Amino acid sequence: MSSVQSHELQRFIMLREGIKEVAFRAFQIKLLALNATLLAKRFGEQARGFVVISTELRDFSQLLRTQMEGLGENSTKLVSLASYELKLLRQLNLLTRAGQHTSHDRLQNAQGQLQTQHQQLQRQMGQIHSAMQTWVDDAYQACLFGTVIARTAKIEAAHAGPLGAALADASNQFSNYVEQILPNLEQL
């Protein structure tokens, strides 16, 4: 009973840590994109395409951050509901054990009410799980698009000619950050 729910609660907490990690990577991408935009503007016309790509990466990081905020809100709800579920199951267990020693109508009514609350709680948790899966799927698709943007950044850095070494470094960092996010999303 409670070990399964405790394990589930632990999973929700680990989920929150994964969300924080992805949000942190999104923030790093945003900072890198801002710096890359400034650097590309300094290089002028040769790096104009890189400015556009950097803006796209900044938009991607904001989208990813918004998705992680949505996931975070839902995971907070899940942690709260899982904690409440543990409490309900403990109460239900106590009532069940007490019912073994007596068959009082009020005790059976209380058990029925707790079972109904537990079923409603499980439905709520199922709905939140579904919503979270949608958030994760959307974030994963956005990351796949992010990998395309990062690859395009490498191409644009190459077009910057001899000035493109710094831009190539930035595009490699973009790729690394996005590639670090994908496994985290797969775990979520």
Side-chain angles (χ1 to χ4, degrees):
M1 172 194 86
S2 68
S3 70
V4 172
Q5 280 72 26
S6 298
H7 179 69
E8 194 69 12
L9 185 57
Q10 285 275 342
R11 281 192 32 216
F12 296 149
I13 292 169
M14 289 178 64
L15 172 76
R16 293 197 41 79
E17 292 305 312
I19 292 167
K20 288 178 190 176
E21 178 67 25
V22 173
F24 177 69
R25 293 287 178 224
F27 178 72
Q28 286 178 314
I29 289 170
K30 180 179 179 178
L31 288 179
L32 184 59
L34 288 170
N35 287 335
T37 299
L38 295 174
L39 184 63
K41 284 184 179 183
R42 274 194 0 215
F43 291 158
E45 191 64 32
Q46 286 179 310
R48 185 155 67 159
F50 201 84
V51 172
V52 173
I53 297 301
S54 295
T55 302
E56 286 296 319
L57 281 163
R58 202 171 61 235
D59 292 346
F60 158 70
S61 73
Q62 183 57 46
L63 172 65
L64 198 56
R65 184 173 167 203
T66 299
Q67 290 166 331
M68 291 305 106
E69 286 171 0
L71 266 173
E73 289 172 13
N74 281 310
S75 70
T76 298
K77 289 176 189 175
L78 271 180
V79 168
S80 176
L81 291 174
S83 297
Y84 183 62
E85 182 181 32
L86 280 173
K87 179 183 170 184
L88 267 179
L89 289 173
R90 275 189 229 112
Q91 290 173 348
L92 194 54
N93 188 30
L94 287 172
L95 288 175
T96 300
R97 284 191 295 177
Q100 292 171 350
H101 303 291
T102 182
S103 61
H104 198 275
D105 286 342
R106 290 179 65 183
L107 186 66
Q108 290 174 347
N109 286 340
Q111 259 183 310
Q113 288 174 350
L114 284 178
Q115 287 172 339
T116 300
Q117 286 177 359
H118 186 247
Q119 290 169 349
Q120 291 171 343
L121 185 65
Q122 287 183 318
R123 276 194 296 278
Q124 278 182 296
M125 290 173 75
Q127 291 169 345
I128 292 173
H129 272 282
S130 293
M132 288 180 73
Q133 187 60 52
T134 300
W135 282 104
V136 169
D137 291 344
D138 290 348
Y140 192 82
Q141 290 302 315
C143 268
L144 292 178
F145 181 64
T147 60
V148 172
I149 298 170
R151 284 186 197 126
T152 306
K154 288 180 181 182
I155 294 168
E156 288 301 325
H159 281 42
L163 304 172
L167 297 177
D169 283 344
S171 65
N172 285 331
Q173 284 181 306
F174 285 136
S175 279
N176 289 337
Y177 289 153
V178 173
E179 287 173 13
Q180 290 170 2
I181 291 171
L182 286 170
N184 286 342
L185 289 174
E186 288 170 1
Q187 287 178 346
L188 295 178

